[in-house]
């Protein structure tokens, strides 16, 4: 752990989820495959497509409606629907199949296991701080078995624009009835988590997986999220 700036008194810890509390790469890979499998079964004409085909349709949507990027669930769903229409499905059928394909993705996407040591860390932190989650993704703290340790979870889209926009940080402070400066946000993305938190007036702890050089420093740099155990007082 490296401390760059002294922490002001902290009342709440805000956690990013993906790649902060667990490795998200295998989760996304499994979810993408679940989506492709479901679509192959429901719409045989999609059997020659791959993840890039569906990604390209999301990119096309984003060019037409840039704000859609802030709700990645809706963005993916409408991208699937657009791809199915291009493959020849009628709009009504495409909407139905897209929902089923997205449901398969989301089911696999939310099958996340938090390791026992991380769960134990969160439980200890929750005994001294109020814990919340702020995520740009669609992981679910309840499905991963740690929901009871958190006050609430905010997800981009339903809760506002994605990080680094200030929407979710500001909403979190309002719901906690704290000033942003009383919240320490922990996340792996320098842009989304560090720059977003600092711009919103929060304190920031960066889980730096790759030892990247940056010009804007967080309050704390971590190489392992378990280093947060140092925040626990006897």
């Amino acid at each position: 752990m490296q401390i760059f700036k002294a922490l002001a008194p902290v009342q709440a810890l805000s956690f990013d989820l993906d790649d902060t509390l667990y490795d998200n790469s295998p989760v996304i890979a499994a979810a993408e495959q679940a989506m492709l499998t479901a679509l192959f079964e429901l719409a045989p004409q999609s059997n020659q497509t791959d993840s890039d085909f569906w990604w390209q349709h999301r990119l096309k949507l984003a060019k037409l409606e840039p704000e859609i990027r802030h709700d990645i669930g809706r963005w993916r769903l409408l991208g699937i629907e657009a791809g199915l229409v291009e493959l020849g499905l009628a709009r009504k059928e495409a909407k139905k199949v897209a929902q089923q394909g997205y449901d398969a993705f989301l089911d696999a996407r939310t099958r996340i296991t938090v390791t026992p040591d991380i769960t134990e860390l969160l439980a200890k932190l929750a005994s001294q701080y109020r814990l919340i989650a702020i995520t740009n993704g669609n992981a679910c703290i309840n499905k991963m078995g740690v929901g009871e340790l958190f006050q609430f979870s905010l997800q981009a889209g339903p809760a506002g624009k994605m990080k680094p926009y200030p929407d979710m940080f500001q909403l979190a402070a309002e719901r906690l009835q704290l000033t942003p400066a009383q919240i320490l946000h922990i996340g792996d993305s320098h842009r989304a988590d560090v720059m977003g938190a600092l711009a919103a007036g929060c304190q920031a702890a960066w889980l730096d997986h790759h030892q990247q050089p940056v010009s804007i420093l967080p309050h704390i740099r971590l190489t392992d999220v378990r280093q947060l155990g140092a925040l626990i007082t006897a």
Side-chain angles (χ1 to χ4, degrees):
M1 176 190 291
Q2 289 178 286
I3 300 175
F4 297 113
K5 308 171 192 176
L7 288 177
V10 173
Q11 297 294 319
L13 302 180
S14 164
F15 283 90
D16 171 57
L17 297 176
D18 296 341
D19 293 317
T20 296
L21 296 182
Y22 47 84
D23 181 3
N24 196 44
S25 296
V27 176
I28 293 297
E32 287 280 352
Q33 187 55 56
M35 180 191 79
L36 292 174
T37 299
L39 291 174
F40 294 168
E41 293 174 354
L42 295 163
Q45 53 269 69
S46 72
N47 62 6
Q48 297 300 315
T49 66
D50 57 14
S51 291
D52 185 64
F53 172 84
W54 305 101
W55 170 242
Q56 292 303 319
H57 281 82
R58 289 168 66 191
L59 290 179
K60 291 177 185 177
L61 282 175
K63 288 181 180 179
L64 296 173
E65 188 184 342
E67 292 295 300
I68 199 172
R69 287 178 176 268
H70 293 289
D71 188 338
I72 62 170
R74 180 170 176 268
W75 186 23
R76 179 179 288 273
L77 175 62
L78 294 182
I80 298 171
E81 183 180 329
L84 290 169
V85 169
E86 182 178 297
L87 291 171
L89 271 71
R91 177 68 64 179
K92 183 176 181 180
E93 181 66 12
K95 192 178 291 289
K96 176 182 175 182
V97 172
Q99 185 64 61
Q100 292 173 294
Y102 177 71
D103 288 346
F105 172 87
L106 190 61
D107 179 64
R109 170 70 175 93
T110 53
R111 285 188 212 153
I112 296 168
T113 300
V114 178
T115 58
D117 58 332
I118 299 301
T119 301
E120 181 180 358
L121 170 67
L122 292 172
K124 290 179 178 178
L125 290 169
S127 70
Q128 295 190 24
Y129 304 95
R130 298 160 73 184
L131 306 189
I132 64 170
I134 297 180
T135 178
N136 284 347
N138 39 21
C140 176
I141 55 174
N142 293 318
K143 289 185 179 180
M144 66 180 76
V146 295
E148 71 280 359
L149 301 175
F150 287 78
Q151 302 284 311
F152 55 83
S153 178
L154 298 179
Q155 178 182 324
K161 290 183 178 180
M162 61 171 49
K163 301 171 290 183
Y165 284 87
D167 301 38
M168 292 191 288
F169 296 110
Q170 293 172 347
L171 179 58
E174 290 171 10
R175 288 186 59 175
L176 291 167
Q177 296 186 315
L178 297 174
T179 65
Q182 293 174 299
I183 301 171
L184 174 64
H185 180 71
I186 303 103
D188 69 293
S189 169
H190 184 269
R191 179 176 180 273
D193 295 306
V194 175
M195 296 178 69
L198 293 177
C202 300
Q203 302 183 76
W206 181 27
L207 179 56
D208 181 9
H209 292 300
H210 307 293
Q211 297 295 292
Q212 301 168 332
V214 293
S215 58
I216 300 175
L217 294 175
H219 290 74
I220 299 171
R221 188 201 304 249
L222 309 170
T223 56
D224 188 316
V225 73
R226 289 169 292 191
Q227 292 170 336
L228 288 173
L231 297 176
I232 301 168
T233 58

